[in-house]
Amino acid sequence: MAKMSHYPSFDVMKERDEWDSHTQDIVTERLRKDTTCQSLQELELATLGAVCRLLVDDDRDNVILYILVHFDQIITSKTGEGQRKTGVPEEKTLIREGLQLLDNKARNEHGAPFDQLEGAEQSEILERLSQGKLQISLEWTALKQKGLFKKLLGTAIDAYCSHPDIWSEIGYAGPAYPRGYVRGDIGQLDPWEAKTEA
C-alpha cells in the first residue's frame, strides 16, 4: 500500500548529483530489486516479513525486501554489536531464535504459521511479546522477550527510514553533504528541499 505523501512529486533521487560519489553508490544500492538474502531461511523470511509489515505499517514488497536484507546483513556480519542487557543473547541468535519462537507460538495457538495469520492475530502475539507476556519456555524470560521485540522494532524502523522511497515521501532530500544547509531558521527551506503540496 502506497503511503500518502505531502510531497507526491518529490523524488530524492533527483538530488543524487549533489552527493559525493560514495553516498550516491550507497543510496542507489538501496533501490536494487535483485538483492537477495544470504543467511535467512524461507520460514525465517516469511515470519520476519510479516513482522516487519506490521511494525512499519507498509506492505510494499520492495521496501520490505530492503528491510529483510538489512536483517540478513546483521546475521551475516562479523561486526560486533554495541551493548545489550545481561540475559539477552547476541543479536544474531536473538533474531533467529525469536523468529522460530513467533512461528511456533502462532502454530500452537492458531494452527498456522505466523505469516499466514490474520493481522489482528499477529499483532496480538507481537503485543504480548513487547510486554514479555508470551507464555513460553522458562528460557524465554520477560527480559529476553522484550529484548527481541526491541531489536525487531528498532532494526525494522532503522532500515525503513533509510530507504529512498520513504525519504521522498517525508520530503527528505537526502544527505546534505557536501552541499550543506544554508537556511537553518524555523520555517525556512533551502531551494533544493521538498515543498509541501496541497
Side-chain angles (χ1 to χ4, degrees):
M1 127 182 108
K3 297 291 186 180
M4 290 294 294
S5 172
H6 294 289
Y7 315 96
S9 63
F10 182 71
D11 180 2
V12 70
M13 296 310 289
K14 291 179 181 174
E15 301 296 321
R16 69 193 305 163
D17 290 340
E18 300 296 335
W19 310 333
D20 62 70
S21 59
H22 180 67
T23 301
Q24 288 178 14
D25 291 344
I26 290 172
V27 177
T28 302
E29 179 71 18
R30 295 175 183 177
L31 293 171
R32 283 186 53 194
K33 303 214 185 314
D34 61 343
T35 306
T36 58
C37 293
Q38 304 300 313
S39 180
L40 288 167
Q41 303 301 310
E42 187 175 343
L43 178 61
E44 294 171 326
L45 288 169
T47 303
L48 184 57
V51 168
C52 291
R53 282 178 167 82
L54 281 171
L55 294 178
V56 301
D57 189 28
D58 200 324
D59 61 5
R60 289 173 287 180
D61 290 338
N62 65 317
V63 174
I64 297 303
L65 175 60
Y66 174 71
I67 297 171
L68 294 177
V69 169
H70 189 74
F71 273 98
D72 193 67
Q73 289 170 346
I74 288 173
I75 289 172
T76 58
S77 173
K78 293 185 175 18
T79 304
E81 57 188 293
Q83 48 182 289
R84 61 183 137 81
K85 293 185 177 180
T86 302
V88 176
E90 67 175 344
E91 58 188 352
K92 300 173 189 184
T93 303
L94 182 68
I95 292 168
R96 293 198 104 135
E97 290 182 359
L99 293 174
Q100 183 67 55
L101 163 80
L102 291 173
D103 191 65
N104 288 343
K105 195 64 177 169
R107 291 172 191 270
N108 292 338
E109 290 186 0
H110 302 284
F114 185 87
D115 68 297
Q116 294 179 21
L117 299 183
E118 296 293 326
E121 294 169 333
Q122 293 173 340
S123 293
E124 190 271 334
I125 290 174
L126 287 180
E127 183 173 350
R128 284 190 286 147
L129 178 72
S130 73
Q131 298 167 352
K133 294 183 178 178
L134 280 182
Q135 299 290 324
I136 43 182
S137 68
L138 293 176
E139 178 189 340
W140 275 91
T141 62
L143 176 68
K144 193 172 175 181
Q145 290 181 47
K146 290 178 183 179
L148 171 61
F149 182 80
K150 183 176 179 181
K151 178 57 67 179
L152 293 173
L153 178 62
T155 304
I157 295 296
D158 283 350
Y160 184 74
C161 292
S162 68
H163 193 284
D165 287 354
I166 307 308
W167 289 358
S168 294
E169 289 171 7
I170 64 173
Y172 175 57
Y177 178 81
R179 152 182 62 189
Y181 289 92
V182 176
R183 295 169 178 85
D185 291 334
I186 294 175
Q188 293 186 340
L189 296 174
D190 283 304
W192 48 271
E193 292 184 88
K195 311 295 187 285
T196 303
E197 300 172 35

